[in-house]
């Protein structure tokens, strides 16, 4: 898919590409269509010849396990048996062979059980890896937000020469500045994580700034007026 045709704002997770690589490891038969390119019904002989071509391609591919190899050989014999008939239509010459061929060939268009299990296991592993990485990214972002709050609170108290600002006053100002900083990083840096991960709850911010507050800021009572 070209960049022009991708929906705006859609990011394909990395594990999707890994999954595609894993699924493509095993050769499979192509589905057979009963109608031609122009919508006309195809002859049974034409369909059987295409099936035979697909079976020979699978037979020459690497990585077939013993059961899949047997299924390919079995389907090949069924096709040859139907093609050898002089009756028309071919499917009515040996209905059992036609039924078995349809059943087993359909299975060859799908991943084998072993391959399906391997793909499922690999996909779950990749999903778990991406999930763990995502959790770590969130924790890292939350820690950055905590550090930013502490730093900003420290700066505000450093400017408080009269030593009158209490924890709640600083927390309220930091709350407003924190929201502005998260929006700025999203707008200017294209980083949405702060908007998603930084908590702007006043109770949360108050708890963080209390850890860096000077002693006078924690004392009960109203701030004394500056002279």
């Amino acid at each position: 898919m070209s960049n022009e045709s991708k929906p705006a704002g859609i990011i394909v997770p990395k594990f999707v590409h890994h999954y595609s690589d894993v699924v493509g490891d095993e050769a499979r038969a192509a589905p057979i269509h009963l109608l031609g390119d122009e919508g006309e019904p195809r002859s049974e002989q034409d369909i059987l010849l295409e099936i035979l071509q697909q079976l020979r391609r699978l037979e020459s591919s690497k990585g077939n396990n013993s059961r899949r190899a047997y299924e390919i050989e079995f389907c090949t014999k069924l096709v040859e048996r139907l093609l050898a008939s002089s009756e028309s239509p071919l499917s009515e010459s040996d209905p059992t062979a036609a039924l078995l061929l349809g059943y087993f060939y359909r299975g060859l268009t799908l991943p084998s059980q072993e391959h399906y299990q391997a793909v499922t296991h690999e996909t779950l592993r990749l999903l778990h890896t991406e999930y763990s990485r995502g959790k770590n990214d969130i924790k890292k972002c939350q820690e950055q937000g905590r550090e930013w709050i502490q730093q900003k609170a420290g700066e505000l108290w450093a400017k408080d020469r009269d030593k009158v600002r209490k924890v709640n006053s600083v927390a309220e100002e930091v709350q407003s500045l924190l929201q502005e900083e998260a929006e700025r990083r999203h707008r200017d840096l294209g980083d949405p994580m702060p908007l998603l991960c930084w908590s702007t709850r006043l109770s949360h911010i108050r708890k963080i700034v209390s850890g860096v507050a000077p002693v006078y800021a924690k004392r009960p009572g109203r701030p004394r007026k500056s002279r």
Side-chain angles (χ1 to χ4, degrees):
M1 181 183 291
S2 64
N3 292 332
E4 291 77 9
S5 59
K6 287 183 179 179
I10 299 299
I11 301 176
V12 180
K14 293 180 181 178
F15 72 83
V16 172
H17 300 294
H18 293 311
Y19 177 81
S20 298
D21 293 339
V22 173
V23 171
D25 287 343
E26 184 180 58
R28 298 188 295 279
I32 301 299
H33 301 287
L34 299 180
L35 301 179
D37 296 335
E38 298 181 1
E40 74 285 0
R42 300 174 60 189
S43 67
E44 288 187 336
Q45 185 174 21
D46 185 32
I47 292 173
L48 289 171
L49 288 173
E50 183 181 352
I51 291 176
L52 186 61
Q53 182 182 16
Q54 289 290 324
L55 292 171
R56 286 172 177 167
R57 179 181 63 82
L58 290 180
E59 190 177 17
S60 63
S61 64
K62 298 179 180 179
N64 288 321
N65 56 52
S66 57
R67 183 172 64 181
R68 197 167 180 84
Y70 178 77
E71 291 172 350
I72 294 171
E73 180 183 1
F74 183 66
C75 286
T76 301
K77 290 180 178 179
L78 291 174
V79 174
E80 292 174 343
R81 183 165 142 188
L82 289 168
L83 286 173
S85 174
S86 58
E87 296 185 29
S88 182
L90 296 175
S91 58
E92 293 185 5
S93 65
D94 196 335
T96 301
L99 181 62
L100 289 173
L101 176 61
Y103 177 80
F104 284 104
Y105 182 82
R106 176 60 178 169
L108 292 174
T109 65
L110 305 172
S112 65
Q113 183 177 3
E114 292 79 8
H115 185 69
Y116 176 79
Q117 291 174 346
V119 169
T120 301
H121 176 77
E122 179 65 8
T123 302
L124 291 175
R125 186 188 69 80
L126 292 169
L127 282 170
H128 177 73
T129 300
E130 291 296 323
Y131 174 72
S132 300
R133 185 180 296 129
K135 286 180 63 177
N136 291 334
D137 290 343
I138 291 174
K139 289 182 179 179
K140 182 179 179 181
C141 181
Q142 290 174 336
E143 182 59 31
Q144 290 174 346
R146 181 182 182 86
E147 292 174 356
W148 191 93
I149 291 172
Q150 291 175 332
Q151 179 182 349
K152 187 57 63 175
E155 293 174 0
L156 293 176
W157 269 307
K159 297 176 182 179
D160 183 26
R161 296 180 180 179
D162 295 329
K163 299 182 179 181
V164 296
R165 301 202 66 175
K166 297 293 186 178
V167 169
N168 199 59
S169 170
V170 170
E172 288 176 350
E173 185 171 352
V174 169
Q175 181 187 40
S176 177
L177 294 172
L178 181 69
Q179 182 65 33
E180 292 176 2
E181 177 64 13
E183 292 174 355
R184 183 194 69 79
R185 295 192 182 194
H186 186 211
R187 180 184 64 250
D188 299 342
L189 305 179
D191 182 9
M193 290 298 286
L195 276 176
L196 298 172
C197 302
W198 288 4
S199 174
T200 56
R201 295 195 317 273
L202 183 60
S203 59
H204 174 76
I205 296 172
R206 187 187 299 115
K207 183 178 180 180
I208 294 175
V209 302
S210 295
V212 296
V215 175
Y216 70 84
K218 299 179 182 179
R219 289 173 183 161
R222 294 183 179 182
R224 59 185 176 85
K225 294 182 180 180
S226 58
R227 295 178 182 177

